[in-house]
Amino acid sequence: MVADIGCGAGETLQHLERSRLFRLVGVDASLTLLAVAATRLETARLVYGRAEKLPFEKESIEALFCECVLSIVGDKQAALDEFARVVKDGGFLVLSDVFKKAGGGEAGGLLSRAELIDSLSRRGFTVLLWEVHDRLLKEFAVRMIFAGKSLPQLWGCGQEKKEVRNKGISYYLLVAGKVGASFDAAGNGTEGPS
């Protein structure tokens, strides 16, 4: 089973459904967004829940996606504990979110790259891919401003000027494997020795 934690309106699940390869489940703490997701999805199961207390059995998830959610979770360590609890040995964790750059000050309680990787390592995950996508973060900020929206306060944004004062943040994509997970030379997921 593949889970999307903080699935929102279901965009990632919809993309994964097109492959017809996965049993999918989406979890979100917004009944409104789950209702929107239900109108666009054909096979994915949708469940009300929070990252800090996932409604899954231990080691029941083969791949867990969590996009732009960890940064807004109140108890990040509890969420990471839950990810480690539900992802199977040999399974994968895919995170994308904002992170605090070195010397980035408070950055609204965001984790730094080192803090995140250390937290994952202590929970049995090995980071297989780490990519920084500053351009995507800048494009998102510009789209929000042009749409007349406020940027997230945790980013250190000045609402009156709608500018990012805290330039110590960036955006990442991370793929981690739990214990036996690895990528072969072609970048395909393989299960390593148990």
Side-chain angles (χ1 to χ4, degrees), residues 44-66:
R45 185 170 57 103
L46 299 171
V47 180
Y48 176 82
R50 305 187 69 77
E52 302 97 318
K53 188 164 176 48
L54 294 174
F56 303 121
E57 297 291 322
K58 182 179 180 179
E59 297 185 2
S60 59
I61 304 297
E62 296 167 32
L64 186 146
F65 288 80
C66 185

Side-chain angles (χ1 to χ4, degrees), residues 27-192:
V27 176
D28 205 279
S30 167
L31 292 173
T32 302
L33 289 174
L34 287 172
V36 173
T39 65
R40 67 180 352 159
L41 299 169
E42 298 173 18
T43 61
R45 185 170 57 103
L46 299 171
V47 180
Y48 176 82
R50 305 187 69 77
E52 302 97 318
K53 188 164 176 48
L54 294 174
F56 303 121
E57 297 291 322
K58 182 179 180 179
E59 297 185 2
S60 59
I61 304 297
E62 296 167 32
L64 186 146
F65 288 80
C66 185
E67 301 171 273
C68 299
V69 172
L70 189 60
S71 64
I72 61 172
V73 167
D75 189 343
K76 292 167 185 50
Q77 298 305 318
L80 293 172
D81 285 342
E82 282 292 276
F83 298 168
R85 182 183 68 80
V86 302
V87 173
K88 291 180 178 182
D89 185 27
F92 296 92
L93 173 64
V94 180
L95 299 174
S96 63
D97 212 325
V98 291
F99 73 101
K100 174 177 63 173
K101 290 182 179 180
E106 290 298 312
L110 296 177
L111 297 173
S112 69
R113 177 183 181 192
E115 290 167 332
L116 180 57
I117 291 173
D118 180 60
S119 291
L120 291 172
S121 176
R122 285 185 281 116
R123 290 168 173 87
F125 288 101
T126 300
V127 174
L128 305 169
L129 174 74
W130 174 278
E131 293 179 351
V132 175
H133 294 277
D134 286 333
R135 184 183 56 81
L136 294 175
L137 181 62
K138 290 174 187 173
E139 288 174 6
F140 171 77
V142 168
R143 283 196 309 271
M144 291 289 289
I145 291 168
F146 284 140
K149 307 285 184 188
S150 297
L151 295 173
Q153 282 191 320
L154 68 91
W155 293 6
C157 303
Q159 299 307 311
E160 65 285 345
K161 295 181 183 177
K162 294 192 177 172
E163 65 184 30
V164 178
R165 287 191 308 261
N166 187 341
K167 299 192 181 4
I169 65 170
S170 190
Y171 184 78
Y172 70 90
L173 168 65
L174 173 149
V175 177
K178 187 173 177 190
V179 184
S182 64
F183 279 98
D184 63 19
N188 300 308
T190 62
E191 190 169 319

Side-chain angles (χ1 to χ4, degrees), residues 14-36:
Q14 187 175 37
H15 176 74
L16 292 169
E17 264 189 346
R18 290 183 190 125
S19 75
R20 306 257 187 236
L21 297 174
F22 310 106
R23 279 187 26 236
L24 302 168
V25 61
V27 176
D28 205 279
S30 167
L31 292 173
T32 302
L33 289 174
L34 287 172
V36 173

